[in-house]
Amino acid sequence: MKSKSALRLENLDILIEAVLQKHLTYGPLAKDGEYAWQKIDPKSNPYMGCAVTMLPAKHILQPVWQDIYSFKFGNGFQIKEPELAEKIALFGISPCDVNSILALDRVFGGRLIDPYYWKRRENTLIVAANCTEVAGESFCTSWDTGPELYSNYDLLITELSDGYLLEVGSPKGEDVVAVLNLPKATQDHLNEKAVRLNAARAATKKKLPVAPDDLHRFLKERFNHPAWVPNSDACFSCGNCTIACPTCYCFDIRDEVMPSRSIGVRRSEWDSCQLLEFAEVGFHANFRRLRIDRFKHRTIHKLSWMKQQYGLTGCVGCGRCVRWCPSWPERRGRITSLADPVEIVTDLMEPSERYEGIERPGGVIA
Amino acid sequence: MKNPYIVEPAVITGIRQETAETKTYTLEFIEQKRGLEFIPGQFNMISLLGIGEGPFSITSSPLQRNKFEHTIRLVGSLTKALDRLSIGSTVGVRGPYGNGWPVDSVKNKDIVIVAGGVGLAPLRGLINLVAEQRDDFGEIEIMYGSRKPDNLIFTSEYGNWRAVPNMRLFLTVDEVPKGIEWPYEQGVVTNLLGFSRIDPSNAFAFMCGPEIMMRFIARSLIIRGFAEKNIFASLERRMECGMAKCGRCMIGPKYVCIDGPVFSYPEVKALPHNLLTAIS
Ligand SMILES: Cc1cc2nc3c(=O)[nH]c(=O)nc-3n(C[C@H](O)[C@H](O)[C@H](O)COP(=O)(O)OP(=O)(O)OC[C@H]3O[C@@H](n4cnc5c(N)ncnc54)[C@H](O)[C@@H]3O)c2cc1C
Ligand code: SF4
Ligand code: SF4
Ligand code: FES
């Protein structure tokens, strides 16, 4: 999808107001010294930089708890589906997070479509924001999932030295900006965008040390590499890395019955492959009882298997797992965290394969 | 958009006690227009609203569509609640899911069926299909083992199976309690393969049971001369959705709920975290 038009935006407020007209709008707002996806109003100040929000926006499309349907007993049972008609906007979503939504689209789409995710998705306006600088834990350039978004947006914001460039990517986006009568952007504005994003790219030092197309072979060959052992030994199996990951989608289904015992709901709830019970079947048989097996499952699913299943990367390089892994890095003699895909892949390489110029984030504590 | 999570009400029209902890239920959709079209080895998600939902193989013959059967062993909360139901009770059903046994590729071929315990459940539909369409298949041998004689399921049908031309049934149990008469074999199910009269070079083997048991069966089959690609296993994994959404049933890059539950031996060999071909 090539952008149809490029416009010039003086300040965000008028765009926020235009989006708010018809959408329940979420944006990355400051919270507890971090950023979090929250509902915004005309007075909010969503962050347009590389806002690696604590949780990605996936909970807006696939809530942590979600009613699949409610049911009523009596003469068998009656089922009632929830109504999801609301129009949603994700205002200021980063390129990597948009790419993660494209992966979720394939998971929840396919032959049997998950109607809850899709109704929300179809009703979602994507107002993306390119990253003119990249957060320290992120390695989006390794996947080309950032800092620039090339397609799959309704509107795309790039911060310039003076105001913003606003690109329109779809009729849905066109509808929102039509009333604003914004002036066209000039070639200078487009040039500045390119300069700024190239600078952001160049400044991103953190890199996956194996080419994405080679990861499948690399991880397959090293499935039994000894480096998995100390890494998974230090893992708490807490599941933070999967909860924080924008492409992790696993869930549990459970029923709740009201005290009257005549009505109830069937709910889905986020789950994590890192938890011991995740793969347990009858008589406590468990095919990933060992922590190392769960640790490998998460890592390789992100870095290789999801690509095989869906044709899109299961890691977009956002760096959230790096930030929220509580594995007390000091204990391992490292500064960075255990869940970091870059660290895990580097550990699987022989010293001779580690080419010059890759920066191990933080290096090794002497 | 059709909602694939919605279950349809089905009434229990028959219950047969198989063992102390296993029953076979006959189900009919209340909406009678809809029969169930399926391949043996496929499964349904069965719900008791308010308690939960779980995957259960369809155990009846695919030729019979207006009613279908499930054979369910008491394991935990859902199966305990199912166990308390009586004729006339309603359950929720969605399905069928999964790939089923490769029925079309075994037409006119000899098949060895090896099962342990409740693992015979997903194979019963196939056995009865062969019985009903006898001329479409080659020789069939059923090798079935369980812990004790009173753990065997489908005992009321053994007479019929034995009466089918070129269908042979061999039974074994791990232990025979004192005072019980047991005219068949004792020992592990792999021992039964010694009775096989089927030429393995062009035959197929279908198995279901505890994964570690299938590991030994597969080994024996390969030693006997079965081609790895002709050996198929039905795998059990934790399932919540049955349609490749919840991620629970994944083994490596495969979803057991849509890519399986039936896999060929070489397919399983390429997967991590299984007990059939790899320890770990
Ligand atoms: C493809 C397939 C076909 C199956 N066919 C049959 C069959 O024909 N007959 C039969 O008796 N059993 C069958 N099972 C196993 C059956 O699904 C489980 O025994 C049942 O879901 C347990 O539910 P529960 O609520 O009674 O147990 P719970 O109280 O929930 O727990 C008991 C144990 O069962 C495990 N379990 C719970 N839910 C599931 C689930 N959704 N999937 C797998 N394990 C689960 C739990 O981890 C726990 O260890 C099949 C399983 C699969 C995957
Ligand atoms: S694996 Fe980590 S870096 Fe990759 S997308 Fe998930 S949270 Fe982000
Ligand atoms: S890798 Fe880190 S965040 Fe993930 S489960 Fe282990 S300790 Fe938790
Ligand atoms: S059962 Fe949900 S993905 Fe297979």
Side-chain angles (χ1 to χ4, degrees):
Chain A
M1 200 187 334
K2 190 104 184 71
S3 72
K4 291 191 189 75
S5 57
L7 306 167
R8 187 68 199 126
L9 184 66
E10 292 280 320
N11 65 58
L12 288 180
D13 297 351
I14 54 164
L15 183 61
I16 292 177
E17 273 194 48
V19 172
L20 278 171
Q21 294 287 322
K22 287 194 188 133
H23 303 85
L24 178 63
T25 307
Y26 297 85
L29 301 184
K31 185 182 184 188
D32 304 335
E34 300 275 347
Y35 292 100
W37 281 96
Q38 296 174 67
K39 283 181 195 145
I40 63 176
D41 58 43
K43 289 190 292 286
S44 315
N45 191 14
Y47 183 62
M48 292 296 107
C50 178
V52 185
T53 49
M54 292 187 270
L55 283 179
K58 71 174 172 182
H59 63 90
I60 298 166
L61 295 171
Q62 169 76 0
V64 183
W65 297 277
Q66 163 174 273
D67 287 3
I68 298 181
Y69 47 72
S70 54
F71 49 83
K72 198 165 88 190
F73 298 113
N75 191 16
F77 55 80
Q78 283 84 46
I79 283 175
K80 192 160 163 280
E81 295 175 62
E83 280 163 33
L84 318 161
E86 222 157 24
K87 284 199 183 302
I88 303 166
L90 299 176
F91 195 101
I93 183 167
S94 311
C96 62
D97 283 352
V98 174
N99 277 288
S100 74
I101 291 178
L102 302 182
L104 295 182
D105 287 351
R106 300 214 176 166
V107 173
F108 291 111
R111 195 171 56 82
L112 287 165
I113 288 170
D114 183 299
Y116 307 104
Y117 177 89
W118 271 107
K119 271 184 207 154
R120 290 200 189 85
R121 180 66 172 100
E122 281 170 355
N123 281 330
T124 299
L125 182 82
I126 298 219
V127 186
N130 281 326
C131 299
T132 50
E133 59 185 333
V134 174
E137 304 87 354
S138 306
F139 50 102
C140 53
T141 53
S142 300
W143 306 109
D144 204 17
T145 49
E148 178 173 2
L149 187 65
Y150 309 107
S151 58
N152 294 294
Y153 54 84
D154 298 304
L155 292 169
L156 175 64
I157 300 167
T158 309
E159 195 167 20
L160 302 179
S161 49
D162 175 26
Y164 302 88
L165 178 71
L166 182 65
E167 290 168 272
V168 181
S170 75
K172 240 156 86 178
E174 187 68 55
D175 275 355
V176 174
V177 295
V179 292
L180 296 178
N181 287 319
L182 295 172
K184 284 232 171 322
T186 65
Q187 190 58 43
D188 282 352
H189 296 127
L190 293 169
N191 291 348
E192 192 191 344
K193 168 190 168 185
V195 169
R196 290 188 141 231
L197 293 177
N198 282 337
R201 241 177 232 116
T204 308
K205 287 286 175 288
K206 186 169 166 182
K207 291 234 157 33
L208 205 59
V210 175
D213 289 344
D214 206 23
L215 269 175
H216 173 58
R217 176 200 62 81
F218 177 89
L219 290 166
K220 201 173 170 152
E221 277 172 16
R222 285 161 219 236
F223 191 79
N224 293 314
H225 194 285
W228 290 107
V229 177
N231 276 338
S232 55
D233 277 353
C235 167
F236 296 122
S237 290
C238 67
N240 272 9
C241 50
T242 60
I243 295 301
C245 179
T247 67
C248 274
Y249 51 87
C250 290
F251 59 86
D252 192 35
I253 297 179
R254 62 178 70 173
D255 292 1
E256 265 173 45
V257 182
M258 300 308 137
S260 68
R261 303 210 52 84
S262 61
I263 52 170
V265 284
R266 175 158 286 181
R267 288 220 169 97
S268 68
E269 180 177 351
W270 287 7
D271 208 332
S272 170
C273 63
Q274 297 304 287
L275 306 182
L276 177 61
E277 306 77 17
F278 184 82
E280 192 177 273
V281 297
F283 305 106
H284 304 288
N286 191 334
F287 299 92
R288 286 192 294 269
R289 185 186 305 288
L290 299 179
R291 198 187 306 269
I292 186 168
D293 292 336
R294 301 197 294 277
F295 190 85
K296 283 184 190 175
H297 180 76
R298 171 223 164 219
T299 310
I300 306 176
H301 189 234
K302 305 271 94 184
L303 298 180
S304 159
W305 294 334
M306 229 170 130
K307 178 87 183 266
Q308 288 177 58
Q309 292 168 327
Y310 300 107
L312 283 179
T313 168
C315 171
V316 294
C318 69
R320 286 188 180 88
C321 57
V322 184
R323 297 176 70 175
W324 298 113
C325 173
S327 63
W328 298 345
E330 305 80 4
R331 260 197 357 191
R332 304 167 53 238
R334 298 268 182 75
I335 294 168
T336 187
S337 87
L338 174 63
D340 188 342
V342 170
E343 276 295 292
I344 297 171
V345 168
T346 309
D347 284 343
L348 294 172
M349 302 176 87
E350 302 309 319
S352 61
E353 294 175 303
R354 296 182 187 154
Y355 47 78
E356 288 295 309
I358 72 168
E359 270 180 41
R360 299 201 84 172
V364 175
I365 296 177
Chain B
M1 199 184 318
K2 192 174 175 298
N3 186 340
Y5 289 103
I6 301 285
V7 291
E8 284 181 60
V11 173
I12 299 179
T13 56
I15 299 180
R16 194 173 58 238
Q17 190 88 36
E18 300 283 353
T19 73
E21 32 184 50
T22 309
K23 286 177 182 165
T24 296
Y25 302 83
T26 308
L27 298 176
E28 288 177 43
F29 282 118
I30 290 179
E31 181 81 46
Q32 257 306 341
K33 276 178 276 146
R34 163 142 151 51
L36 188 72
E37 233 177 276
F38 67 95
I39 301 165
Q42 283 191 303
F43 62 93
N44 279 327
M45 296 299 288
I46 306 280
S47 276
L48 268 181
L49 292 173
I51 310 234
E53 190 173 43
F56 297 95
S57 308
I58 308 162
T59 58
S60 44
S61 161
L63 298 181
Q64 166 193 298
R65 294 207 180 127
N66 56 343
K67 40 180 149 171
F68 52 95
E69 293 183 337
H70 285 282
T71 303
I72 297 176
R73 177 174 183 193
L74 208 154
V75 173
S77 54
L78 171 65
T79 47
K80 200 174 279 173
L82 286 168
D83 185 65
R84 284 198 293 265
L85 299 181
S86 45
I87 288 178
S89 304
T90 309
V91 299
V93 179
R94 58 189 177 93
Y97 295 112
N99 55 359
W101 301 105
V103 176
D104 290 336
S105 357
V106 296
K107 289 276 159 77
N108 301 317
K109 301 278 199 240
D110 298 342
I111 311 169
V112 177
I113 286 169
V114 196
V118 81
L120 190 57
L123 287 153
R124 176 185 176 230
L126 179 82
I127 295 170
N128 286 333
L129 176 70
V130 174
E132 289 157 21
Q133 299 188 328
R134 191 65 200 91
D135 297 341
D136 291 354
F137 299 89
E139 294 192 29
I140 309 291
E141 288 173 345
I142 305 159
M143 316 282 183
Y144 179 41
S146 83
R147 210 151 37 82
K148 290 189 214 155
D150 58 6
N151 295 128
L152 296 164
I153 60 172
F154 307 136
T155 46
S156 63
E157 288 162 80
Y158 296 169
N160 294 346
W161 293 351
R162 288 202 166 98
V164 177
N166 289 323
M167 185 182 277
R168 294 183 285 278
L169 172 67
F170 302 93
L171 300 172
T172 187
V173 292
D174 296 340
E175 53 178 294
V176 181
K178 276 204 187 73
I180 301 268
E181 203 182 319
W182 177 250
Y184 308 105
E185 300 305 311
Q186 194 175 346
V188 292
V189 72
T190 38
N191 292 351
L192 295 180
L193 289 172
F195 296 105
S196 177
R197 281 185 264 145
I198 282 177
D199 169 16
S201 58
N202 198 20
F204 281 75
F206 292 169
M207 53 184 179
C208 186
E211 214 152 300
I212 199 76
M213 179 193 105
M214 293 201 281
R215 176 187 180 81
F216 291 105
I217 298 171
R219 244 194 231 165
S220 305
L221 289 166
I222 293 164
I223 291 169
R224 294 186 69 83
F226 282 82
E228 288 191 5
K229 66 172 176 43
N230 289 351
I231 301 174
F232 289 83
S234 180
L235 302 187
E236 183 188 355
R237 286 295 181 278
R238 181 69 182 247
M239 290 184 182
E240 298 293 331
C241 71
M243 46 197 177
K245 306 292 171 220
C246 76
R248 300 299 287 268
C249 68
M250 234 187 280
I251 317 179
K254 296 283 182 199
Y255 288 100
V256 175
C257 64
I258 60 165
D259 302 317
V262 176
F263 293 95
S264 74
Y265 189 82
E267 280 179 296
V268 184
K269 217 154 83 170
L271 298 178
H273 309 144
N274 76 81
L275 298 177
L276 181 58
T277 63
I279 291 285
S280 146

